[in-house]
Amino acid sequence: MRSLWSALRWGGLNSVIGSALVIVGLLAGLSPLALSREQGEALQNEQDLKAYPSYESLYSDLRALQQKYRGIMQIVVIGHSHGDDGDVNRTADNRDIIAVKISDRVYLENDGMPQEEPDILFIGGQHSREWIAVEVPFLLIKYLVENYGKDRKIRDLVDHSEIWIIPLDNPDGYEFSRNDDRLWRKNRRNNGDGSFGVDLNRNFPYELGIDWSAPLPPGSLTSLSPDSELYRGPSALSEPESQAIQAFVASHHFQTAINFHSYGQTILYPWGISGADAQDETLFENISTKMAQLIQGAHGPVYRPSKSFNSEDSSGGAYLKHGELSDWLYGQGVLAFTVELSPKTYAEGGFELPADKIQSTFQGFLPAALYLIQAGMERLPKTPASGVTRTLDEALDLNGNHYLDDNELLLLVDYWISSEVVPGTGQIVDDDKFFYYVDKWTSKKRLTPEQSPQAAVALMLDRTRITYQKSGLRLEVVGAGIAEIDFQLFNLAGQRLMRRLEPGSALEFSAFDEAGSRLANGVYLYRVIAYGARGDAIQSQVRKFIILK
Ligand SMILES: [Zn+2]
């Protein structure tokens, strides 16, 4: 125990020394007082360009996450961008539009079971200059996969839904905004009249399909002029970025969705096209109000829930919007919200949210994003299980209600397929290293939580023990009421080498770390979290064991 703590302390001290050196370096290099306004802005731009990832680095960050969390995260290319017609040195014709799926048994639709899991959708980056609206969905992906093994609430959300996140719908415009024109909004189609781009959030056809060239009513925040920022395109779904979403949505059954934009701190819902009440007006109102409350409850900023068109709104809401994605999604049956992220005002940065506000903007909105997943799960009524096939989650549901019937055998198949997507091509290359395992669980009686032998016994963790066997190492957790254990192995520097979450109170493991290297002789540290049948948990002390071969 002491070794771990001192290792951590030393690690911490090193990074403190590191940042002190950086600060000293900065002070020596330049005096902040000597910066002109232009220099200040240039410095700000430089910091923003570093903090907000390029398309390429976003893609590679996602691939790295998928590599690490491939059991619960899958990258899918759902289409390609139009390509930047204005780029004379064009290196790639178009760019991949990436969707990320997060779910347990991620390579199987609905876990490979007949019951449907609710699909949830997050989309970002329709508008090029709204960089925070790319970063927030990216950080949401990261948060979900990194906390899956640590936070039971996250695990419940991920296990019982299929979360899809498209962080960047308009990669061409985004890159153009980074490299050429910071305030670019549209995609990069050449309109043929010297102007470029279609406003992707005006390109959707709901209630517009009949005559796309018909005049719009006065007061519409949508335009027929190609050189307008709000140009809706030559026809409905004319843009490949919109078609990708259309096809993707058609092949899923989404319950709830957020379309991320900035700025304004609002949570908007249909109908933007007319201002009429949606059929689900009350539900929209309840969910958006709850999201705003959760954000404020977590000490986040004030978000205002509102109908997308609101004639009493003095800050831009009092305009009709024709062709918005959220209206179209709602037309497809999805409860869809347009979220205008921070900041609230132009004075606070407008579309150019400073890099040092990224984390707080994400953290502030996070409870609302998690609630949207929850709301999607609640919207899809749970159908009773049919036949004898049940998922592991149901069999061991830590809320306690589902146990297998007598003589039922649960067959669990997990596919862990490692696949790589070649950037710019959308081609998927399987590395052939896919493997699967099948587990059989002996049956248990179907019992109420009160009758369940595990739930009847209060959770207790007495001691843990690692023993050596011919086949490998065996961890036993001695106690009472233990339904599941979380085993974590560290080296003396406090780095985690292995983590296993398994039902029951014992597990076997071999002397290899997660990267596949054999553990060298030496001293290791481990700890165990025991979960009871109702999700309560006890953590063991950090313990030592020695490998000597
Ligand atoms: Zn926008």
Side-chain angles (χ1 to χ4, degrees), residues 100-103 120 122 144 157-158 161-165 373:
V100 171
K101 181 184 179 189
I102 298 171
S103 187
I120 317 293
F122 297 91
L144 290 171
L157 293 178
V158 170
S161 68
E162 309 213 315
I163 303 162
W164 286 94
I165 303 177
I373 300 170

Side-chain angles (χ1 to χ4, degrees), residues 165-435:
I165 303 177
I166 301 169
L168 178 53
D169 180 46
N170 180 9
D172 302 336
Y174 181 72
E175 280 301 304
F176 189 70
S177 165
R178 288 177 59 85
N179 300 313
D180 298 275
D181 178 353
R182 177 66 185 84
L183 291 179
W184 190 256
R185 171 180 167 100
K186 304 186 282 183
N187 75 353
R188 293 293 297 159
R189 162 194 284 275
N190 183 349
N191 293 323
D193 61 352
S195 75
F196 286 87
V198 169
D199 184 343
L200 298 177
N201 204 25
R202 298 293 184 273
N203 194 226
F204 284 84
Y206 193 67
E207 292 189 356
L208 286 173
I210 301 166
D211 185 0
W212 191 255
S213 62
L216 294 161
S220 172
L221 217 59
T222 301
S223 175
L224 306 180
S225 310
D227 63 350
S228 163
E229 292 244 282
L230 303 165
Y231 176 46
R232 70 180 184 181
S235 58
L237 295 171
S238 57
E239 302 314 292
E241 293 87 353
S242 312
Q243 292 161 15
I245 289 177
Q246 187 266 337
F248 180 69
V249 169
S251 62
H252 291 81
H253 187 194
F254 288 109
Q255 300 298 328
T256 50
I258 285 179
N259 180 17
F260 284 111
H261 286 260
S262 73
Y263 58 94
Q265 291 173 200
T266 49
I267 302 169
L268 307 171
Y269 50 86
W271 295 105
I273 194 170
S274 61
D277 280 0
Q279 204 184 326
D280 295 295
E281 172 81 8
T282 314
L283 199 50
F284 272 123
E285 215 178 291
N286 290 346
I287 294 175
S288 58
T289 304
K290 175 86 177 173
M291 284 199 275
Q293 285 167 349
L294 286 168
I295 295 166
Q296 261 187 284
H299 309 290
V302 177
Y303 274 72
R304 189 172 51 81
S306 163
K307 205 185 298 179
S308 181
F309 170 78
N310 176 357
S311 59
E312 283 148 39
D313 185 343
S314 56
S315 61
Y319 297 94
L320 298 173
K321 295 173 206 94
H322 291 71
E324 277 195 310
L325 173 57
S326 286
D327 266 12
W328 178 80
L329 281 171
Y330 183 52
Q332 310 299 307
V334 187
L335 286 181
F337 300 83
T338 301
V339 168
E340 300 282 358
L341 291 162
S342 295
K344 188 164 185 62
T345 63
Y346 177 77
E348 293 164 284
F351 297 114
E352 298 169 83
L353 182 74
D356 62 2
K357 296 287 191 297
I358 294 175
Q359 272 304 325
S360 59
T361 299
F362 168 68
Q363 288 296 338
F365 192 76
L366 178 63
L370 299 180
Y371 178 69
L372 186 94
I373 300 170
Q374 184 71 41
M377 289 164 62
E378 283 163 10
R379 197 178 174 218
L380 184 72
K382 272 213 167 91
T383 45
S386 60
V388 295
T389 318
R390 290 159 200 266
T391 67
L392 178 64
D393 303 322
E394 286 170 330
L396 298 167
D397 184 346
L398 291 166
N399 296 321
N401 290 314
H402 304 282
Y403 290 88
L404 294 177
D405 289 337
D406 265 350
N407 304 321
E408 267 184 7
L409 199 67
L410 179 80
L411 196 68
L412 168 73
V413 184
D414 261 12
Y415 289 88
W416 297 67
I417 303 171
S418 170
S419 60
E420 276 285 317
V421 183
V422 182
T425 67
Q427 207 185 340
I428 294 177
V429 182
D430 277 321
D431 67 6
D432 275 328
K433 276 187 287 184
F434 94 89
F435 55 96

Side-chain angles (χ1 to χ4, degrees), residues 54-79:
S54 67
Y55 165 78
E56 284 299 337
S57 80
L58 174 76
Y59 210 154
S60 73
D61 288 353
L62 288 173
R63 278 198 301 271
L65 282 174
Q66 175 181 246
Q67 194 62 32
K68 195 166 173 195
Y69 300 102
R70 59 186 187 169
I72 53 167
M73 171 174 171
Q74 181 191 17
I75 295 175
V76 176
V77 176
I78 62 162

